[in-house]
Amino acid sequence: MSEVSVVDTSALGRKRGVRGHPKGRPVDPQALIEIRALLGSSPRQRDLLIEFLHRIQDRYGHVSAAHILALAEELKLARTEVYEVATFYHHFDVVKEGETPPPALTVRICETLSCQMAGADTLRRAVEGASGAGVRVIGAPCVGRCEHAPVAVVGRNTVDSATTKKIAEAIARKQTEPELLPYVDYAAYRADGGYRTLLACGSGERSVEAVIAAMEHSGLRGLGGAGFAVGRKWRIVRAEPAPRLMAVNIDEGEPGTFKDRYYLERDPHRFIEGMLIAAWAVGIEEIYVYLRDEYAACRAVLARELAALQANPPRPLPHIHLRRGAGAYICGEESAMIESIEGKRGMPRLRPPYVAQVGLFGRPTLEHNMETLYWVRDILEKGAEWFAGQGRNGRKGLRSFSVSGRVAKPGVHLAPAGITVRELIDEFCGGMLPGHELYAYLPGGASGGILPARLSDVPLDFDTLQPHGCFIGSAAVIILSQHDRARDAALNLMRFFADESCGQCTPCRVGTQKAVGLLATPKWDTALLAELSQVMIDASICGLGQAAPNPITCVIQYFPEELR
């Protein structure tokens, strides 16, 4: 046997200049102390990274380089992992070494379509001119309060129908906690018969097969935009091997959409009971509720009511995690949301495999929109036929339409599926605003396309709008009048998509930016726009890039007079 030589590697390392510590800036001991105090006894799990970044942002008003290094050290992560996550999300103000932190207070003024139509651009300029030191005024994507346009957010508090005076008053109040609307709490919900349907499921009074069959017969489809049949989804995930997980999507970032917020602020337990029934029927072990960060009031309500439920549960509960988004529209896409729940950047996954088979933490996952679960209890108590019999024009069910724009009564309007936009305006929205006539409408939010008034008799539902190059999505209806231009709306929406693209795929990342430049010109190059749109539709990874060209193609098709 040959001899084995022993080399003094420490001496060799010193000769070659090998470092005894990681490359880059060393961890600041004080920052590490601060991070450990913020994390407290929380488990140092990788999937809690975004939650921990929120603690830093909330405490210090920004995320410093020193805190990023200390957090990476505490979680045993590469510094680049923490940095790339912190810089991905809009609501983390990452301050590099040597940079000046932002002012103590940030005022965000929504600049997406409904608010822009209500004068948000003028409002922002006025607030910028009136605000003093210590206040930062920035534009923001849709904050989910389009019925109150224009909207500002002062710190964590919203200012509806915002004016310079209202915003100044909100700044002066220095209010730190969001204001809550009156809502049905746990005690009131139980007193009114709440959770009896869940109890009937758990006691054997209702069987799993009967519950899933009821969902199938009702015709309920996913109300987050995709429209997948709910009963079928439950069967698919239930057939997958345990452990199975559930992810609830309340990242309601589609411009014009606010129905989930509306229901959650007023009757949270109806949604929670539907969620627990779905978990029981599918055999779910843990539930992750992903709530957009803009909904601070909803988060306060959910945290309080989940605690009340867990303190006195009607039956044994699965473990429920409430996770906080951080300002990224892309996380409304189911796989991007799952990545975010896992503490990563919200990058959509390539499919297959689908979330039902390989989802959260690699496990089969039942993913649902909040409003979808909100209807489960009513369908089971009132019967599948009740829900299915609500539609018009041959359609089935009810739709919660988020209506904003040039109508007398914007808001969430519960109406029959298949109603036309003209009927919706006249019967539920109090007609158009004085001096306004219907000119155009968006039937499905920013990505659902734009239709002219002459197509106001098209039934609003899944599968009815596709022949016209549009879709209903989450039923966010934005109404334009003769005082608006469809081409201006398309430019506003494309700027939104360009800001919100995750950047993962070139067709979306570059295509949206290129489209903004082309749409901003006085005369559109329609041939080039059509070619660019087709590339984005064909080659983008997820629905953001695939649907972003819809407003462009609709303007070219239905509003050619605006392009001359």
Side-chain angles (χ1 to χ4, degrees), residues 293-314:
D293 192 35
E294 290 82 351
Y295 289 174
C298 290
R299 186 171 67 254
V301 168
L302 266 182
R304 180 186 299 176
E305 296 309 308
L306 285 172
L309 171 69
Q310 290 163 338
N312 182 27

Side-chain angles (χ1 to χ4, degrees), residues 189 192-194 197 270 273 374-381:
Y189 187 77
D192 196 36
T197 304
R270 191 172 299 268
E273 183 171 7
Y374 184 88
W375 291 110
V376 168
R377 174 192 157 181
D378 279 352
I379 288 172
L380 293 178
E381 291 185 355

